[in-house]
């Protein structure tokens, strides 16, 4: 049996392709109703103007597992990761 295909898979690392971009918390958006979460609007540096803002639930965890929230003006990093199967070589 020919295991060349398996050998190629072993040579390919299982790590995800990733890029991390600097960003800034532009504003904190209060919930519209009490059962909705507060949101943080984050501007990603280097993104096109129409697409640079993302909104996420403003709940994070610190290294001790405590819930924390972002502050307006906070400098953050936005990381985008993809499984190796979701990427292709760039031409």
């Amino acid at each position: 049996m020919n295991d060349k295909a398996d050998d190629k898979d072993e040579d390919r690392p299982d790590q995800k392709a990733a890029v991390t971009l600097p960003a800034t918390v532009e504003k904190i958006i209060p919930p519209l109703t009490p059962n909705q979460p507060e949101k943080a609007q984050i501007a990603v540096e280097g993104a096109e103007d129409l697409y640079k803002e993302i909104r996420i639930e403003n709940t994070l965890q610190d290294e001790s597992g405590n819930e924390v929230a972002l502050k307006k003006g906070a400098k953050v990093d936005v990381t985008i990761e993809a499984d190796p199967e979701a990427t292709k070589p760039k031409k």
Side-chain angles (χ1 to χ4, degrees), residues 20-33:
T20 299
L21 303 169
T24 303
V25 178
E26 284 188 326
K27 62 179 159 179
I28 304 300
I29 303 162
L32 295 174
T33 62

Side-chain angles (χ1 to χ4, degrees), residues 35-82:
N35 61 342
Q36 291 181 328
E38 178 179 81
K39 302 279 184 173
Q41 180 171 307
I42 300 170
V44 180
E45 293 178 30
E48 292 183 30
D49 283 342
L50 291 174
Y51 307 102
K52 71 178 184 173
E53 285 129 7
I54 60 172
R55 290 182 178 182
I56 63 165
E57 186 174 319
N58 194 13
T59 303
L60 291 80
Q61 285 188 349
D62 66 11
E63 63 249 4
S64 301
N66 300 315
E67 283 193 357
V68 295
L70 295 169
K71 297 178 186 178
K72 181 180 177 181
K75 301 294 183 189
V76 297
D77 292 323
V78 175
T79 300
I80 299 162
E81 294 182 337

